[in-house]
Amino acid sequence: NAGVTQTPKFQVLKTGQSMTLQCAQDMNHEYMSWYRQDPGMGLRLIHYSVGAGITDQGEVPNGYNVSRSTTEDFPLRLLSAAPSQTSVYFCASSYRSPGLAGGPGEQYFGPGTRLTVT
Amino acid sequence: AQSVTQLGSHVSVSEGALVLLRCNYSSSVPPYLFWYVQYPNQGLQLLLKYTTGATLVKGINGFEAEFKKSETSFHLTKPSAHMSDAAEYFCAVSDWDTGNQFYFGTGTSLTVIP
């Protein structure tokens, strides 16, 4: 199993450009999520999905879009990049959503994408 | 709303000394609690988790944590620090009341002094 993969590892964008961060998992996990990590702020949830065709907003969704057309893939789109979106982005997946009986499953994290917006 | 507080953004211990990383949470219902570790330039890796049952939870690499409901705490400990323990540690919480979300603390950077 490759686990959770993210591409690219590094990206530099100019203000106003758009791009898509790719995330894929091969564990047949229903729950997938995107976080951003900023110094002193921990991880903050951007968007999440509890299954194909179902997405919802997290704590900091503005400026980002997601879709979930398959169980495996969960891309994150930056519509018009801003310097405030400079961050490290992590994708994660879990075999069980937090809201289900029995509690959430462990989250498996990808290696991250370091994004700089100038 | 859920919140997680990690006291001490930086903790230094000598090699062989006790490691204690603090985590307090707010939740009006029974929580699910996690500790993750992040090594430089890597993603997060699960150390241990508490869902139900025994309140003392053992994890990987000799770490353990105890869920104390009365103190709303889930502190992480290790009896003897090793150089390889130097990393960033994150506490996370979820519960059925928060829907499908995990909430992370701001992290504690652990330095191990030889």
Side-chain angles (χ1 to χ4, degrees):
Chain A
N1 282 356
V4 179
T5 58
Q6 291 183 238
T7 56
K9 284 188 172 21
F10 302 94
Q11 183 71 49
V12 179
L13 290 179
K14 294 187 187 304
T15 297
Q17 288 184 318
S18 63
M19 78 159 296
T20 299
L21 307 185
Q22 301 291 345
C23 174
Q25 52 91 9
D26 61 358
M27 298 173 282
N28 201 32
H29 286 174
E30 290 298 323
Y31 184 84
M32 296 186 74
S33 54
W34 276 102
Y35 295 89
R36 59 178 289 172
Q37 182 178 24
D38 302 291
M41 304 191 74
L43 276 77
R44 293 181 292 169
L45 183 65
I46 304 171
H47 285 285
Y48 64 92
S49 168
V50 299
I54 306 170
T55 64
D56 207 344
Q57 298 180 350
E59 184 183 357
V60 289
N62 292 342
Y64 308 94
N65 271 359
V66 292
S67 60
R68 184 97 180 267
S69 57
T70 66
T71 298
E72 295 78 20
D73 300 299
F74 191 43
L76 178 73
R77 297 182 186 83
L78 280 69
L79 307 174
S80 177
S84 62
Q85 294 177 303
T86 293
S87 187
V88 180
Y89 291 85
F90 288 100
C91 179
S93 73
S94 174
Y95 55 86
R96 190 166 62 230
S97 298
L100 294 180
E106 168 189 353
Q107 288 197 98
Y108 292 80
F109 284 81
T113 294
R114 189 174 294 273
L115 176 68
T116 301
V117 182
T118 61
Chain B
Q2 275 283 5
S3 70
V4 180
T5 302
Q6 291 185 239
L7 286 176
S9 57
H10 297 276
V11 170
S12 294
V13 299
S14 298
E15 191 175 15
L18 172 72
V19 176
L20 171 61
L21 304 183
R22 299 178 188 275
C23 174
N24 288 87
Y25 66 91
S26 69
S27 175
S28 58
V29 297
Y32 304 111
L33 298 158
F34 304 81
W35 275 101
Y36 286 86
V37 61
Q38 184 182 32
Y39 298 104
N41 299 314
Q42 294 187 25
L44 279 70
Q45 176 185 357
L46 183 71
L47 273 178
L48 49 81
K49 66 179 180 182
Y50 169 80
T51 51
T52 59
T55 57
L56 181 62
V57 180
K58 295 188 185 299
I60 62 171
N61 301 338
F63 284 93
E64 63 182 35
E66 186 171 12
F67 168 55
K68 292 187 176 181
K69 182 179 178 181
S70 61
E71 299 176 9
T72 61
S73 69
F74 191 56
H75 301 331
L76 182 71
T77 60
K78 182 174 180 177
S80 177
H82 192 273
M83 296 298 294
S84 61
D85 295 327
E88 187 96 17
Y89 292 82
F90 293 93
C91 182
V93 64
S94 182
D95 63 44
W96 62 263
D97 198 35
T98 63
N100 294 303
Q101 301 194 34
F102 294 88
Y103 292 87
F104 282 80
T106 53
T108 297
S109 178
L110 177 66
T111 299
V112 181
I113 304 166

